[in-house]
Every structure is written in C-alpha cells, then in structure tokens.
C-alpha cells in the first residue's frame, strides 16, 4: 500500500524487507557492477495508459534499462525483453508495442537478444507487464556512482523536468494537458558516452530521475555520498506547461517522473567541458547548471528560492500529503 | 535558643531578585546564615529562633518578588552556619530540573530612571534591575550568573559594581546590570549611543522602515499611520494582508485604537508584555497591540510620540534574525537603516501573542517557563513538535520545558533554529534526551529529524491526541477526558488526514469516537491555500450521507478540473478537517477565495460574524463504522440558501458548530465530564465561549498558557511520551 510512487515508502520497503533478505549491504544503484567493468540491470514496467504522447510501454522499457546501464557509465551491449500478458490483450497492440521496443533498441544501438512471454488469465494482470534486462560494459575512466559526489561538485540537469509524469497523468486522467506536454522518454547512452569522453572520472555521480523525480535523485545522491546539495530553484528547467499543470494539480515538478534526462555531479574542473559536450547533442541541448555540493548537513538537499531563502527539498512520501495546516 | 535548617526553594526563583529578597527577609527577622543559587533552585542555610524561622519560611512563600513563582519549599533540619550576619554566596551547582526565567518588561522604577534627567542612567537604552530586563535571551548556561550570560563581556564600572554588591540595592545581583559607562551601546552606521538613536528616530519620522535589534531578535519598525511605509514593510515581508502588530506608548494610546478591558490592560502591562489581539475601533479585523517592553522601545515610542508597527525582522518563512552580520546582510539592503547594539542575543525569542486570554504564540516573556507533566518522565525526552508554528519541548522529571516559537519548519534556517533551540534546552537542563517524541506525519521536517534516532528510541504521538493532551495537562486534568480537536490537518492513525475529531482520551492513549464528514483536498496544499476550491470539493466529493448537496455553482475554468480530480481521486486525499469546513463556509459567503496567510478565511469568517447572532443552521449526525459523524453538507446548503446577510449567516454557522460539537460530546462522553479542546480552530474568540454555554454540565477547558494551535503540539507530545514511559497517566 502506498509504495508505488517511488519515494520514502519505497526506500523503506527496500531497506527493511528486500535487501536484508538478499543479504545485500550496499544501497542499491540503478545497475550493478559485476567484476571490474560489466554492468547488469533489470527493471519491470507497469504503466497506464500503455500508449502516451511521446512513447509507449515498449519504448519506455527499452529506454529505462538502457538508461539505468548508462547511469553506471556503461555502454549497453544487449537486452532481454519479457512480457506478462493478460488474456484478451489485442494482438495488434502487442505487435505495435514490440515493434516500438525494437525500434527503440535499434535507435539506442543495442540488440534485443533474448526474451520470454507468459500469458495469464483475465484479472491476473493489468493488460501487459514488461521486463527488460540489460548488460553493458563500463566505458574507460567511467566511475559514476550515487555515492560518488564530492564537495565542490557542480550539479547538472540535462534537460527539462516533469514532462513524462505529467504526460502520463494527463493521458490517463483525461486532463487535456497532453496537448502541450509529451513524454521525454529517450535513450541517454550516447549522452553519457560524450560526458565520459569529456570528463572521465570527474563525472562523479549520474542518476536518471525517474520515479521520485529530480527531488528523489538529488536526495539519494546526497544521502549515499554524505554531502549537502544546494540547487538554485530558478535554474532548474521546468517547461511552462508542466509548471502550469503542477500548479493546478498541486504537484511539485521536482517530484514528477522523467524518462529522458539525467542529473550529474561533476568535479568543477571538468564541468565546462562536460556541459559543452552535453549541449552538442540533441538530448543534452537543454543542459543546465543547477547547483553545487556545499558545506552543510550531510544528506540534505536545499533549494535557494527567488527571495533568497533555503527551502529543504524533501522526497515524495506515498501520496503527497499536505503539510500545511 | 537558635536552630539551623537547610531550606530549598523551587520554582521560578533565579533571575528574579530572589536572593536579595531572601537577604532582606532574613535581616528583617534577625536570621543569620546564607543563600545561594543551586542548579535551578535556591538553597538557604538559616539560623535563628524557631518562631522566626517559621515566619521566615512563610514569608519566602507569601512575599515572593513580583516575577518569582515559588512552587515548593523543602526544609531539612541541621547544618552549620559560621557567621553572625546573612550572606549571599556565589552560585553552587546541583543536578535537577532548572528554571530559566523568561525576559521581563522594564519595570516602573527603571522607566522612571530612564526619563529622569538627573539619573545617571537617563536615556540609557539598557537600564534594568532585579525586577526587569533580559533573561532567557542572554543566558548561555546555568546557574544564572552574570559570568554565564552575554553580559560577561561588559566588566562592571565601580558604580554598577557597588550596586551589584549591595544587598540593600535594587540592583543587588541584577546580572544584566549596566550603565552608560560600562554597558552595551547602540549603533547606527558609524554613529553610537544617543546619536545613533536620533538617526533611527529621524529615519522613521521621514517615513522610513528601520531594523531594530530588540530583546529576542531584530524587528522591523515604521510609523503605523504612515501608509506608504506600512505598504513597503508589507512588501519586504511578503505579507500582503495579515495584520501587523502595533506598539503604543501607553494604555491611553491603546484605547484610542481598540477596546481595552481591565483584563487586557493587565496583560498589556504584565512583565511578559505580549502582543494582545483586541477588537479594533476603526477596522473589521482585530488589531494586535503591545506596550514598550525594553528601555529602547520606551525611548523610540517617547521620541516618536506615535504608534509604531513593530514586527519580527525576518524574510518571509525565515526565523527572526538574531545575528548582527545576518541583520546587516539580509535586512540591511531592504530597510533605511539598522539600529543595532553590542549585547549579543543568544536565544531567539519572537514577541508573544495572546488572544481572548489564550496564548497563541508563546515566546518572549512566557517561554521557557516550565509546564507541568501529569506523569513525571523517568528519562529525559525531547519532543520534536509539528511543522508550522513550530516549537520543541524537553521533558525532564515532572516538567516540560517548552521552547519558544521558531516559525514554520520549511527551510534550512528554521530547521537550524529548531535544532539550536532543542540544543539550548538540553544544555540549560544539563541532560541528554534518551527518547524523542514526534508526529505521525512523515513529511514534517520534525518527523524527518526523528528518523535520525534509533527506532526503539522514537515515540510517535498522534497529532490531535497531542493537541488535547496539551490542554488537559496544562489544566492538571486527572482521569479520562473528552478531547475535541478541530484544526486544519493532522495525520490520523489510519493514514487519513484528520482535523474534526472527538477523542475519548487519557494521557497514554485515546479512542476516536466522532469525526466530521470526509471531503477530498483536490491538489493537497493547493486546496488548503484556496478556500474556493474547498467549496468545489464539498460540492463534488463530500462523503455521502444521502442528504441533499449544496446547490451547483456557476462553472469556472477551475471547476471542471477540480471535479475531475475529485472523481478520479487524483492527488485528492480525504480529510475530516474542521478548518477546511470553515474555509468553505468563508468562500461560500464571498469572504475569502484565497488565503494569503494561514487561517485567513477563518479569521474573516469570525470577523464577519462578530456583532451578529442567530440560530443554528441545519445539521445532522450519523453513525458510521462505529463513530458518530457530522455531515456538514446540510449546514453548507443552509448557509447559501438561508437568505441571511453574510454576517448573520456567519454567526449562525458558528452557532451550528457549537451545537454540533455539544451533541457529539454528549453522544460519546459516557460518564466523563471534562472536555479539553485543542487545534487552531479554537483560536476563534467566540467558539470556546459558545461551547461552554452549550455544555453547561461539563468543564470545557482550552489551552491558555500553551497555544491551541500547532505551537502546543510539542508540549502535548512530551506529556503523552512521559505518561507512556512512566506507564501511568498521572
Ligand atoms: Fe494541528
Ligand atoms: Mg530503474
Ligand atoms: Zn527594573
Ligand atoms: Zn556601570
């Protein structure tokens, strides 16, 4: 109950229930390192609606795993694709989704090499669940880790935030915002390769702010690295239609999911080169310098507001319960 | 035939001239011996005839100085005393709960000196004596002695030293004693002393806004009658409509602006000198007035000879500024000058606010006076409070030390202020808390703070249980009570948002027995800020009891979206809040569509109802899932269709809530005859009175010394945690 939106409750589910049973001690990253340079990741996708402005569950499942590998500085080598299909799903829909997944994998330059399909009875699943697994090889000099941020690091965001979550919500609930907002779902492996080429080991931390949004990723990195992060509120690119929708719906755009941008913590000496490399690619054209690692309470994320005060940026907890009285 | 005994006096006995008072009594009665401050109390060795000693003990209790409060006197026979006379000794140190005295408004004797051209402290902005002056704001640690205050940096001149050492003098051991020759000094740019004051006065006279270093923090000051200046001050505080406190020179000036009864007059002139919220003579909304409480304020009001807006010096959302560098860096660029001085402020104390005899913001003058714990806590507990109007409290033994208001916990500075306050409370008491008590709401920054504690050291306390436990504990209730908690929102133990609740409670636990009907909050905090959206929420999503809904409204651009959100339950958590019902009523009467400050819609509804009365609107109660439930829809429907003018309808709405509450209490109280109310809705001037009229056979108690709003939550948490740890209620 209430663990679905990827915030505090999900974190507690992981630390209290799942990782202890598995005997894992380190916090989970987007992808695991095996041996020296092999990276391994898996993710399941459940999304309503299955087709949304800017993508569908097939392309999303490919982008998600490609990006999780990329966030560990890896070049993706191969993917698997597995379906759990609810009886009654139109075959044409399954064909369209598969075609979309294949196209997405081709565009990212990764082959889908294996897969699996199970059909379950009506009511045993909600239409279609997709699982993708990926393996990759770490790029030379790539060392990014959620625990890698260091004092003085510059914080970058590669593009506008909030698009994916608002597009999905609007399409699902029939709110009409999807005329102006479509998902940013796309692969980020080329972007990461360009960043590593420009900054090497100075690219300390990478995260794609999917569930839990930008605020979640910043808090995860601040906590795992034991640093204090300060972001300038006005520097974070939030598209006007996203801001307007969030205003009406009472959502914080920093809590809304993304599927096509990343947060990076880069040593100050390499920041300019990395930013330039990012902006040279279409998926990084909107790269913004949004903040830095400052002295302060470890694990805390602050947003400097327009009036100059420092708001504490919190993570999403289940439903966004109001705090004001 | 002389005997010797050791007498310990407990209570508020340090920093209030208690030792010189003991010296005078002893000398008067021919008793020899000595007196000293111990940890938080006073220890006397007294030698004399048995009769004189008995008289002495009585006098200690009955003739205590004006600011002292003697709670307990213990006597142990025996001990030795070497000298003939009576001596005042330097402070010793013993463990136990300790009292820090709240800051005290300038006494009449010091005001007389301040304006006496023949006095050596004529126009000296830091004059004080054992009866008055700064206390909690300058204390670094206990026992209370000049060396452990910020006055340690100002060595006494020979004249002050003589007064300080003379047991017959009014300034005997007045720790912050000072004079123009040896004490702190004003500064305005490069100017100091009288010249600095003149420049500040001139700036205000010209229509400026100035920052002034007060007792517990910086303040922003301008002429209250100067509209342009007030508008500028409102802009720089980002406070468009919320009333601003006005400082007046004396009661005469207060009476020109408002209606001041005897009770209000006494409060205004009390040593706490709070802001008192009173009916205005000129406007619909109440006005907050206070009198000068420091020599500097007396000088400003005297020289400017007009009422001044005096409000806390902070940017919106930040805690009141206490550091000079911060004041110059942050406030300096926004104002026409900074009137500062060189006596550091160690602890942050905003001005306190009292409304209808109830403290609604507890800070300077009231905090950190200890509050009782019905069940003593076996170990020290730090109560972390809620989120808005934040306070923290420390439970030690049989008291809770309730720290001052620090503001809304949402930014790094308020969070730091909260941590500083908590640390100060622990340092003063010399304890390390073993448990923390915290709210259930996972998103409060205070709850986030709690997660730093090991799980088995955290004591979660439900928000509304804390509200009503605070009221009960303040009044020393023993045994079960009915708790009525009406406020904006607090997280319930079932994961939904509560706020219109009746609980059958003890200090350790409670059972929810009644509630208000549920309504969605479309957009969460957006719905809290926009009362007009709450109307749509009641219209489209209120809990259904089969009765008629409110009449449909003219559709707006917002209404289709809100309706969709409500129907799809999208970011629309359900609540049983009473505060949201007041918001909706206010919006339905056209009084407030959008809150510019917390509670604005309710404040306007109450103001509209003043001077009107009328019978209750329609209301119904239902049984659902074992609870009594009030369905607010018939009331809202009647509110818009009754045809009464807004003021009358607003008054009838208040009558309805009182009747409904009385009915809910009667249905659920069983044999219990004590009702404790809490929650911000009870800041309403008339609601408690109306409830008392409705519930004649019950004792209806409301928080008086502790705010009914979330400023009282930490005290309630301390009370509940202590009772649970002690395993008994009192
Ligand atoms: Fe509350
Ligand atoms: Mg993932
Ligand atoms: Zn005095
Ligand atoms: Zn002196």
């Amino acid at each position: 109950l209430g663990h679905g939106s990827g915030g505090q409750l999900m974190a507690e589910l992981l630390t209290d229930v799942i990782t202890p049973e598995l005997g894992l001690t380190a916090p989970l990253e987007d992808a695991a390192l095996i041996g020296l340079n092999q990276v391994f990741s898996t993710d399941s996708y459940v999304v309503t609606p299955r087709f949304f402005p800017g993508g569908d569950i097939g392309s999303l499942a490919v982008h998600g795993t490609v990006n999780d590998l990329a966030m560990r500085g890896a070049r993706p080598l191969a993917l698997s694709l597995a379906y759990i299909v609810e009886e009654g799903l139109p075959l044409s829909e399954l064909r369209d989704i598969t075609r979309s997944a294949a196209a997405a994998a081709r565009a990212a330059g990764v082959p889908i090499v294996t897969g699996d399909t199970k059909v379950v009875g009506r009511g045993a699943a909600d239409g279609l669940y997709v699982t993708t697994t990926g393996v990759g090889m770490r790029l030379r000099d790539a060392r990014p880790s959620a625990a890698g941020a260091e004092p003085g690091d510059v914080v970058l965001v590669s593009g506008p935030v909030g698009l994916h979550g608002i597009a999905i919500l609007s399409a699902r609930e029939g709110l009409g915002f999807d005329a102006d907002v479509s998902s940013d779902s796309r692969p980020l492996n080329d972007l990461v390769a360009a960043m590593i080429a420009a900054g090497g080991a100075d690219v300390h931390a990478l995260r794609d702010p999917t569930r839990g949004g930008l605020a979640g990723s910043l808090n995860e990195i601040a906590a795992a690295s034991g640093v204090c992060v300060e972001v300038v509120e006005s520097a974070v690119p939030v598209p006007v239609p996203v801001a307007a929708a969030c205003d009406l719906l009472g959502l914080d755009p920093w809590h809304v999911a993304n599927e096509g941008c990343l947060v990076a913590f880069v040593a100050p000496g390499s920041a300019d080169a990395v930013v330039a490399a990012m902006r040279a690619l279409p998926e990084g054209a909107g790269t913004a310098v949004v903040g830095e690692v400052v002295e302060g309470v470890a694990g805390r994320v602050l947003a400097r507001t327009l009036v100059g005060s420092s708001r504490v940026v919190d993570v999403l907890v289940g439903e966004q319960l109001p705090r004001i009285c | 035939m002389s005997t010797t005994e050791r007498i310990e006096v407990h209570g508020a006995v340090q920093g209030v001239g208690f030792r010189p008072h003991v010296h005078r009594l002893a000398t008067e009665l021919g008793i020899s011996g000595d007196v000293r401050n111990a940890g938080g109390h006073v220890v006397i060795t007294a030698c004399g005839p048995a009769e004189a000693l008995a008289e002495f003990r009585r006098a200690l209790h009955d003739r205590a100085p004006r600011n002292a409060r003697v709670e307990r006197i213990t006597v142990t026979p025996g001990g030795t005393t070497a000298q003939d006379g009576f001596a005042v000794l330097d402070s010793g140190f013993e463990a136990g709960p300790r009292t820090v005295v709240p800051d005290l408004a300038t006494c009449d004797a010091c005001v007389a000196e301040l304006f006496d051209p023949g006095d050596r402290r004529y126009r000296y902005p830091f004059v004080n004596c054992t009866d008055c002056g700064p206390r909690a704001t300058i204390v670094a640690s206990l026992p209370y002695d000049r060396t452990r205050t910020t006055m340690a940096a100002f060595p006494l001149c020979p004249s002050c030293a003589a007064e300080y050492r003379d047991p017959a003098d009014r300034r005997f051991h007045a720790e912050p004693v000072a004079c123009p020759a040896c004490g702190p000094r004003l500064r305005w740019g490069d100017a100091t002393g009288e010249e600095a004051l003149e420049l500040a006065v001139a700036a205000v006279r010209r229509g400026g806004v100035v920052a002034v270093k007060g007792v517990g923090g910086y303040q922003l000051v301008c002429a209250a009658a100067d509209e342009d200046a007030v508008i500028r001050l409102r802009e720089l505080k980002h406070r468009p409509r919320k009333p601003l406190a006005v400082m007046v020179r004396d009661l005469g000036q207060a009476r020109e602006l408002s209606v001041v009864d005897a009770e209000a007059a006494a409060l205004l002139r009390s040593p706490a000198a709070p802001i008192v919220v009173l009916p205005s003579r000129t406007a619909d909304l109440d006005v907050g007035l206070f009198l000068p409480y420091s020599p500097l304020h007396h000088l400003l009001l005297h020289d400017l000879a007009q009422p001044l807006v005096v409000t806390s010096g902070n940017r919106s959302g930040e805690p009141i500024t206490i550091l000079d560098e911060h004041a110059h860096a942050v406030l300096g660029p926004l104002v026409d000058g900074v009137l500062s001085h060189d006596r550091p402020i160690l602890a942050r104390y905003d001005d306190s606010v009292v409304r209808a005899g109830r403290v609604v913001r507890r800070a300077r003058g009231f905090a950190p006076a200890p509050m009782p714990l019905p069940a003593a806590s076996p170990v020290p507990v730090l109560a972390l409070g809620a989120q808005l109007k934040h306070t923290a409290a420390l439970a030690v033994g049989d008291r809770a030390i309730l720290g001052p208001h620090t503001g809304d916990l949402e930014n790094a500075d308020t969070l730091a202020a909260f941590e500083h306050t908590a640390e100060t409370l622990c340092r003063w008491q010399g304890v390390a808390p073993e448990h923390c008590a915290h709210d259930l709401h996972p998103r409060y920054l205070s709850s986030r703070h709690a997660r730093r504690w090991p799980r088995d050291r955290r004591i979660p306390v439900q928000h509304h249980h804390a509200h009503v436990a605070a009221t009960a504990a303040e009044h020393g209730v023993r045994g079960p009570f009915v708790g009525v908690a009406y406020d904006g929102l607090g997280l319930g133990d079932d994961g939904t948002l509560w706020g219109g609740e009746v609980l059958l409670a003890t200090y350790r636990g409670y059972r929810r027995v009644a509630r208000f009907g549920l309504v969605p909050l479309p957009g969460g905090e957006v719905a809290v800020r926009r009362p007009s959206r709450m109307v749509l929420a009641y219209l489209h999503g209120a809990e259904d009891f089969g009765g008629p809904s409110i009449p449909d409204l003219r559709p707006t651009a917002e209404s289709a979206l809100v309706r969709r959100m409500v129907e799809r339950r999208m970011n629309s958590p359900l609540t049983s809040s009473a505060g949201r019902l007041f918001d909706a009523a206010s919006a339905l009467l056209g009084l407030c569509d959008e809150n510019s400050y917390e509670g604005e819609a309710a404040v306007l509804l109450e103001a509209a109802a003043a001077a009107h009365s009328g019978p209750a609107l329609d209301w119904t109660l239902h049984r659902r899932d074992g609870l009594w439930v009030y369905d607010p829809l018939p009331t809202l429907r009647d509110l818009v269709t009754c045809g009464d003018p807004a003021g009358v309808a607003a008054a009838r709405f208040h009558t309805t809530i009182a009747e409904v509450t009385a009915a809910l209490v009667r249905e659920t109280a069983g044999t219990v005859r004590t009702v404790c109310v809490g929650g911000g809705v009870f800041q309403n001037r008339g609601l408690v009175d109306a409830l008392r009229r409705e519930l004649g056979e019950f004792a209806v108690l409301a928080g008086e010394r502790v705010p009914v709003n979330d400023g009282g939550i930490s005290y309630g948490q301390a009370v509940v945690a202590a009772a649970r740890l002690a395993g008994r209620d009192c």
Side-chain angles (χ1 to χ4, degrees):
Chain A
L1 176 97
H3 294 85
S5 38
Q8 187 66 34
L9 290 174
M10 172 61 90
E12 280 171 11
L13 190 66
L14 283 173
T15 57
D16 296 354
V17 181
I18 296 177
T19 55
E21 293 301 328
L22 293 175
L24 298 173
T25 48
L28 291 181
E29 303 243 12
D30 284 333
L33 198 59
I34 306 170
L36 274 183
N37 286 312
Q38 289 171 78
V39 178
F40 186 47
S41 180
T42 189
D43 231 326
S44 296
Y45 297 82
V46 177
V47 59
T48 311
R50 287 184 287 277
F51 296 88
F52 48 85
D56 56 66
I57 193 172
S59 57
L60 185 68
V62 169
H63 295 153
T65 291
V66 165
N67 291 347
D68 280 349
L69 293 171
M71 294 309 119
R72 292 309 300 272
R75 181 167 62 86
L77 294 177
L79 296 178
S80 74
L81 176 68
Y83 293 140
I84 292 175
V85 187
E86 185 189 11
E87 206 179 287
L89 184 82
L91 278 183
S92 62
E93 199 173 304
L94 194 60
R95 189 174 295 121
D96 289 345
I97 286 166
T98 308
R99 189 175 293 141
S100 168
R106 253 194 319 280
V110 200
I112 295 174
V113 294
T114 181
D116 182 47
T117 301
K118 293 278 185 299
V119 178
V120 297
R122 278 178 203 274
D126 180 17
L128 176 68
Y129 302 151
V130 184
T131 299
T132 51
T133 301
V135 291
M137 187 63 76
R138 212 149 64 148
L139 297 161
R140 239 179 65 169
D141 296 333
R143 297 282 175 277
S145 157
E150 287 178 18
D153 276 3
V154 174
V155 182
L156 311 173
V157 171
S158 71
V161 302
L163 289 166
H164 177 76
I166 294 298
I168 296 280
L169 188 67
S170 179
R172 180 169 69 225
E173 310 293 354
L175 302 178
F177 298 122
D178 35 326
D180 303 317
V181 181
S182 60
S183 170
D184 60 347
S185 179
R186 62 186 156 194
L188 297 170
N189 49 328
D190 289 346
L191 183 67
V192 169
M195 293 171 72
I196 299 296
D202 275 354
V203 178
H204 290 155
L206 292 173
R207 202 80 161 172
D208 58 337
T210 53
R211 274 182 318 188
L214 177 65
S217 291
L218 290 172
N219 271 288
E220 283 159 15
I221 292 173
S225 303
V227 297
C228 180
V229 178
E230 186 179 74
V231 173
V232 177
E233 208 171 49
S234 59
V236 173
V238 180
V240 172
V242 170
C246 284
D247 239 26
L248 286 165
L249 299 170
L251 301 174
D252 181 342
W254 294 19
H255 284 152
V256 175
N258 308 278
E259 289 294 345
C261 66
L262 59 79
V263 183
F265 285 61
V266 182
S270 294
D272 287 344
V274 171
V275 169
M278 291 168 77
R279 288 190 179 144
L281 293 175
E283 60 268 41
T287 296
V289 176
V290 297
E292 59 186 332
V293 176
V294 296
E295 268 189 42
V297 181
R300 189 173 286 176
V301 179
L302 302 171
R304 185 135 305 266
T305 65
L306 276 179
V307 293
S309 68
S310 272
R311 179 171 61 88
V312 177
V313 178
D314 71 345
V315 293
L316 194 63
V317 187
E319 259 191 305
Q320 206 153 329
L321 291 176
R323 286 174 298 184
I324 57 181
C325 214
Chain B
M1 183 49 204
S2 282
T3 53
T4 303
E5 56 192 31
R6 174 189 161 101
I7 305 173
E8 287 187 16
V9 188
H10 296 263
V13 290
Q14 291 189 5
V16 289
F18 204 82
R19 286 179 299 161
H21 168 74
V22 170
H23 182 274
R24 275 191 295 274
L25 286 180
T27 312
E28 192 181 298
L29 296 167
I31 287 169
S32 63
D34 55 54
V35 59
R36 65 190 166 86
N37 281 340
H41 55 288
V42 161
V43 178
I44 303 164
T45 309
C47 176
E51 257 168 57
L53 285 177
E55 175 61 28
F56 180 60
R57 288 193 307 263
R58 245 193 322 276
L60 283 176
H61 188 275
D62 296 347
R63 288 163 58 194
R66 94 168 174 152
N67 294 309
R69 204 180 62 254
V70 174
E71 288 173 1
R72 190 162 44 95
I73 296 179
T74 62
V75 183
T76 327
T80 51
T81 163
Q83 71 259 40
D84 296 331
F86 196 89
V88 175
L89 304 180
D90 282 339
S91 302
F93 190 85
E94 285 174 32
R98 309 167 192 172
T99 306
V100 175
V101 176
D103 301 290
L104 302 164
T106 311
C107 72
D108 292 344
C110 285
V111 173
E113 288 176 345
L114 183 66
F115 292 110
D116 174 4
D119 196 276
R120 72 187 187 90
R121 292 190 178 87
Y122 176 58
R123 292 185 62 80
Y124 180 58
F126 303 94
V127 55
N128 67 79
C129 71
T130 49
D131 273 348
C132 74
R135 296 290 188 273
T137 51
I138 61 167
V139 175
S141 61
L142 296 183
Y144 178 58
D145 236 337
R146 188 178 179 94
T147 52
R148 282 177 286 268
T149 70
T150 62
M151 291 304 292
F154 299 92
L156 291 169
C157 71
S159 308
C160 287
E163 292 170 331
Y164 183 82
R165 280 196 295 265
D166 176 4
D169 195 278
R170 205 173 96 240
R171 297 199 165 86
F172 177 63
H173 272 275
E175 309 304 345
V177 71
C179 79
C182 66
R185 179 187 295 247
L186 292 180
R187 174 172 289 280
W188 171 280
D190 292 332
T192 60
E194 186 68 28
E195 191 194 349
L197 181 59
E198 273 168 28
L199 290 168
V201 164
V204 174
R205 198 172 278 136
R206 279 197 306 270
V209 175
V210 303
V212 175
K213 187 174 181 181
V215 171
Y218 275 82
Q219 295 172 314
L220 297 172
V221 175
C222 74
D226 187 326
E227 254 175 61
D228 293 338
V230 173
I231 288 170
R232 237 189 90 205
L233 191 154
R234 284 191 174 284
E235 276 168 2
L236 70 89
K237 288 262 293 186
H238 299 281
R239 190 164 152 173
R241 295 198 290 271
K242 189 177 182 184
L244 296 163
V246 173
M247 187 178 277
V248 290
R249 193 176 169 193
D250 51 30
L251 288 177
Q253 220 169 47
R255 291 199 170 96
E256 287 168 23
L257 298 173
S258 71
V259 185
V260 184
D261 62 16
E263 198 185 325
L267 194 54
L268 285 166
R269 286 193 35 79
S270 69
I275 295 167
V276 182
V277 181
L278 294 165
S280 166
R281 286 201 190 279
T282 52
D284 290 341
L285 286 185
D286 289 349
V287 27
L289 297 181
F290 57 154
L291 296 179
Y293 57 82
S294 78
L296 179 55
H297 291 116
H298 277 285
L299 290 168
L300 287 170
L301 268 291
H302 173 271
D303 294 1
L304 283 157
Q306 57 180 314
L308 302 176
V309 167
V310 177
T311 183
S312 49
N314 56 320
R315 284 183 307 202
S316 135
E318 290 188 355
I320 183 168
T321 301
I322 57 172
L323 296 175
D324 299 334
E325 315 85 79
H326 192 257
H328 282 101
V330 172
L331 300 176
L334 305 173
V335 297
D336 298 299
V338 179
L339 183 60
S340 183
H341 60 70
D342 52 358
R343 186 181 73 203
I345 301 171
L346 281 186
R348 186 179 266 112
Y349 279 76
D350 249 303
D351 292 316
S352 294
V353 181
V354 179
R355 182 168 203 245
R358 293 193 285 279
V359 173
V360 294
R361 182 162 81 198
R362 189 177 185 272
R364 179 193 49 77
F366 294 120
M371 297 297 301
L373 286 178
S377 188
V379 293
V381 178
L382 183 63
L384 300 172
Q387 172 85 357
L388 299 187
K389 299 183 165 68
H390 187 265
T391 60
L394 180 65
V396 204
D398 59 358
R399 350 253 186 106
I401 318 296
L402 175 51
H405 165 94
T406 47
D408 301 343
L409 280 195
E410 54 189 12
N411 61 49
D413 295 327
T414 6
L415 200 51
F418 149 52
E419 285 161 356
H420 179 252
T421 300
E423 188 263 326
T424 302
L425 294 179
C426 297
R427 179 159 37 81
W428 280 346
Q429 293 303 320
V431 300
E434 292 188 16
H435 288 82
C436 76
H438 66 88
D439 199 275
L440 304 182
H441 199 308
R443 284 187 72 209
Y444 286 174
L445 292 185
S446 55
S447 305
R448 263 186 85 165
H449 187 95
R451 288 200 285 270
R452 296 186 198 169
W453 289 67
R455 211 169 276 245
D456 59 350
R457 295 298 172 107
R458 302 178 208 159
I459 303 175
V461 180
Q462 199 277 326
H463 189 88
H464 301 99
H465 187 214
H467 268 310
V468 296
T471 300
E474 177 189 333
H475 291 281
V477 170
R478 306 173 79 84
F481 55 93
V482 181
V484 177
Y486 290 171
D487 74 352
L489 303 167
L491 196 62
D493 55 29
D494 60 354
T496 68
L497 293 160
W498 293 4
E501 314 303 317
V502 180
L503 312 175
L504 267 183
T506 63
Y507 293 117
R508 277 179 292 173
Y510 65 90
R511 189 159 58 84
R512 190 189 197 198
V513 289
R515 62 169 174 84
F516 279 26
L518 299 174
V519 66
L521 294 170
E525 294 186 1
V526 181
V528 181
R529 281 193 297 273
R530 293 182 53 74
S532 59
R533 189 175 272 215
M534 284 316 301
V535 173
L536 297 168
Y538 278 103
L539 178 62
H540 298 302
E543 185 174 4
D544 188 8
F545 293 93
S549 184
I550 39 180
D552 216 337
L553 303 150
R554 200 157 42 83
T556 63
E558 196 180 9
S559 54
L561 177 73
V562 170
R563 179 170 194 164
R564 187 94 186 126
M565 290 177 75
V566 167
E567 282 166 359
R568 303 281 304 166
R569 288 275 176 257
M570 187 198 325
N571 195 26
S572 299
L574 292 174
T575 181
S576 51
S577 165
R580 295 294 84 78
L581 178 62
F582 276 72
D583 282 358
S586 189
L588 273 172
L589 292 177
L591 299 170
C592 184
D593 281 346
E594 180 126 20
N595 284 325
S596 78
Y597 58 90
E598 194 209 337
E600 182 175 14
V603 166
L604 293 172
L605 187 71
E606 185 192 346
H612 297 286
S613 63
L617 301 161
D618 204 3
W619 57 269
T620 57
L621 300 189
H622 302 265
R623 283 292 282 177
R624 184 160 284 182
D625 302 330
L627 301 181
W628 284 99
V629 184
Y630 161 51
D631 176 11
L633 283 181
T635 304
L636 290 175
R637 181 180 182 83
D638 204 6
L639 187 77
V640 280
T641 56
C642 69
D644 288 325
V648 176
R652 295 185 62 190
F653 176 79
H654 283 83
T655 309
T656 314
I657 298 302
E659 263 188 27
V660 164
T661 308
L664 290 174
V665 168
R666 286 212 177 84
E667 292 290 0
T668 56
T671 57
V672 176
R673 280 295 167 269
T674 306
V675 178
C676 297
V677 306
V681 168
F682 286 108
Q683 289 172 114
N684 190 301
R685 189 191 290 283
L687 197 56
V688 178
D689 297 338
L691 195 53
R692 287 204 174 112
R693 282 194 301 274
E694 294 286 339
L695 284 171
E697 74 275 32
F698 288 80
V700 178
L701 306 171
E704 285 159 19
R705 287 186 288 153
V706 172
V708 292
N709 60 45
D710 283 6
I713 288 287
S714 63
Y715 174 49
Q717 291 170 342
V719 166
V720 171
R724 287 198 195 143
L725 287 170
R728 58 197 168 77
D729 280 311
C730 48

